[in-house]
Amino acid sequence: MSNEIASVSDGMLTDAPAEPRRIVSLPNGFRSAALSVLIAAASLSAGLLFWYWATLTSLDFYVRFDNVPTPIQVANAFWHELGDKRFYFHILYSLRRIAIAYALASALGIGLGLAVGRSRLARAVILPYVEIIRPIPAVAWIPLAILMWPTEESSIIYITALGAMFPILLNTIHGVEQTPEILVRAAQSLGASRLAIFQHVVLPSALPHIVTGLAIGMGVSWFSLLAGEIISGQYGIGYFTWNAYSLILYPEIVVGMIVIGLLGTASTHAVRLLTRPLLAWQRNPR
């Protein structure tokens, strides 16, 4: 009897299914982000290797690299500038100008864009000026801006704000125009006032376009700022870059360009982060 019980118990132990192993997997979003970072790092590394090879061999194929500094020379120059207080002074001066000009451009661009998008009278009055002034590059404004404004500082801020305003203005107009008419009519049928329709229908519908305009405007503001600093400025990262060219300091030129790119990227990313809560309603529930 005991042998039968033992054999039965052995059979039960033998035939029992094995417990499945738990496989720990990373979330899809994390894996996708990690893959994007790896690809970006590989791309930047390939660019640096090509830059080093082209300067080392003095490549001359449509583009000449014989006078271009090597990455090592640029790195040494950048390390030297990090120990100079004047370098940080140039950066802070440019950031101050960007902050003032971008705030003015955002207020004017969004305000005028909402008015033009909702009012035929505002469109008839404002839009002709926009279409005439918008194609004029920032460099062309510099002589007149110097004559118009009492100081070089105010003229640079004016040029920067003017360049950043048009992307914000045009994207705001487009966003207002893309508001679904069926939503406006539905709100009207429910007895909503014009102010309520503007606040709860038009503005939320235009927000994605406004945010896009704000991001584009930040990039354009750096372009306009550098044009003003190169021509009429005495401080700023644009002036630092042009002054390095005047003094034939080629590594410092690339240092200024890299700093401009990093500041522009960081400021645009900051705009996207600050405006992300405004578009929280767009995200799908997970």
Side-chain angles (χ1 to χ4, degrees):
M1 187 68 177
S2 60
N3 292 335
E4 293 178 359
I5 295 174
S7 61
V8 172
S9 61
D10 291 341
M12 293 176 62
L13 292 174
T14 305
D15 297 337
E19 185 177 350
R21 296 179 180 178
R22 296 181 179 179
I23 301 176
V24 179
S25 60
L26 296 175
N28 292 331
F30 181 82
R31 284 185 294 178
S32 177
L35 181 61
S36 299
V37 170
L38 289 176
I39 294 175
S43 176
L44 291 175
S45 300
L48 285 174
L49 288 175
F50 174 78
W51 176 13
Y52 180 75
W53 172 79
T55 54
L56 190 65
T57 60
S58 298
L59 180 66
D60 187 1
F61 184 72
Y62 291 102
V63 179
R64 295 184 295 112
F65 282 85
D66 49 349
N67 290 324
V68 176
T70 65
I72 297 176
Q73 292 174 330
V74 173
N76 292 333
F78 185 72
W79 181 258
H80 177 266
E81 293 298 334
L82 289 178
D84 190 351
K85 294 181 180 179
R86 292 175 298 178
F87 183 65
Y88 299 98
F89 185 74
H90 288 302
I91 294 176
L92 291 176
Y93 232 91
S94 294
L95 290 175
R96 175 181 172 273
R97 290 166 175 164
I98 283 288
I100 297 173
Y102 186 73
L104 294 173
S106 300
L108 289 174
I110 295 175
L112 294 177
L114 293 174
V116 171
R118 293 298 295 173
S119 172
R120 293 181 180 179
L121 177 60
R123 173 181 290 271
V125 172
I126 298 173
L127 209 55
Y129 289 98
V130 174
E131 295 301 328
I132 294 173
I133 298 175
R134 180 173 59 88
I136 302 175
V139 178
W141 278 101
I142 293 173
L144 185 60
I146 294 174
L147 296 175
M148 290 170 55
W149 297 91
T151 63
E152 292 181 350
E153 185 70 14
S154 56
S155 64
I156 293 175
I157 292 176
Y158 167 76
I159 294 169
T160 306
L162 193 65
M165 184 186 69
F166 290 113
I168 301 173
L169 173 62
L170 294 177
N171 275 273
T172 302
I173 295 173
H174 181 69
V176 174
E177 291 176 344
Q178 293 299 312
T179 302
E181 189 64 26
I182 188 173
L183 296 180
V184 177
R185 292 180 180 178
Q188 289 175 345
S189 66
L190 295 174
S193 63
R194 296 185 63 180
L195 180 61
I197 293 174
F198 176 80
Q199 182 179 356
H200 298 289
V201 178
V202 176
L203 193 56
S205 178
L207 270 178
H209 298 274
I210 295 175
V211 170
T212 302
L214 289 172
I216 298 174
M218 176 57 77
V220 177
S221 67
W222 278 100
F223 173 80
S224 304
L225 171 72
L226 297 173
E229 288 182 343
I230 287 173
I231 302 300
S232 63
Q234 295 182 349
Y235 307 101
I237 195 64
Y239 172 79
F240 169 85
T241 306
W242 185 255
N243 189 54
Y245 172 75
S246 301
L247 299 176
I248 320 178
L249 301 174
Y250 296 147
E252 279 74 6
I253 296 173
V254 183
V255 169
M257 294 171 61
I258 293 175
V259 171
I260 291 167
L262 292 176
L263 291 175
T265 302
S267 56
T268 302
H269 187 63
V271 170
R272 294 188 182 277
L273 287 178
L274 292 174
T275 55
R276 183 177 294 178
L278 300 176
L279 302 178
W281 55 272
Q282 276 191 325
R283 303 192 191 106
N284 295 326
R286 298 183 182 273

